[in-house]
Amino acid sequence: MDARSAREALDTITASRAREAAHVTSPWWYHVGMGATLALLFLSVSLRKGSWAVPLLVGVMILLDLAVRRTTGVSFARYTATPRATMLFGIYAMTSVLAIVTGMYLEYGAGVHWAIAGAGLVVGVLTIVLGFRVDAVARHDIRAER
């Protein structure tokens, strides 16, 4: 193997990484759909309709996940695909848990109506914003061989 063929092999690998990085990007409707579905899930709990709405909305989330896999042609754990994406997901998870616990305490412990729905709105917005950010980080890290 000479230097030229080694360079061609490296260029092929770089092009392959760029193609894969393009496929890991979710369409806009995925993150918006997941955020809206999560917000509706929490709203249904505040409305005391969770017994039938939660299973339905979890089904919607599963369908969104299947649709994005079919659309992109790539099946991967986007939130843990790279170390930086995992770090962002950890921040998202901790913030979401804090919002949920606060909402539950306020609604059930302090009697503040709609607190869980408010927590759901926070989680929904976080899901949308950090979902797009995780996609960008994963795309960058895959291109950069991380």
Side-chain angles (χ1 to χ4, degrees):
M1 177 176 270
D2 62 357
R4 181 178 171 195
S5 60
R7 173 51 46 201
E8 288 173 0
L10 288 173
D11 290 342
T12 301
I13 292 170
T14 301
S16 175
R17 283 186 170 279
R19 276 192 309 276
E20 289 304 313
H23 286 289
V24 301
T25 302
S26 305
W28 68 268
W29 51 262
Y30 175 73
H31 297 297
V32 172
M34 290 297 267
T37 303
L38 279 170
L40 286 172
L41 190 142
F42 286 97
L43 175 64
S44 73
V45 172
S46 270
L47 291 172
R48 310 296 192 261
K49 304 290 183 193
S51 61
W52 64 268
V54 169
L56 176 70
L57 293 169
V58 168
V60 169
M61 292 170 68
I62 291 169
L63 289 175
L64 281 169
D65 193 52
L66 292 172
V68 79
R69 289 178 186 197
R70 182 178 175 129
T71 302
T72 61
V74 177
S75 175
F76 79 110
R78 68 184 71 261
Y79 296 103
T80 56
T82 65
R84 290 187 333 149
T86 302
M87 181 192 69
L88 282 174
F89 179 69
I91 292 168
Y92 163 78
M94 287 188 300
T95 306
S96 295
V97 167
L98 179 63
I100 293 164
V101 168
T102 302
M104 289 177 72
Y105 168 75
L106 288 173
E107 186 145 333
Y108 296 128
V112 177
H113 298 293
W114 303 102
I116 293 176
L121 184 61
V122 169
V123 171
V125 169
L126 280 173
T127 300
I128 295 168
V129 172
L130 280 177
F132 284 115
R133 184 68 189 134
V134 164
D135 268 0
V137 165
R139 188 173 52 249
H140 176 268
D141 289 351
I142 289 169
R143 279 192 189 125
E145 301 178 26
R146 292 185 185 156

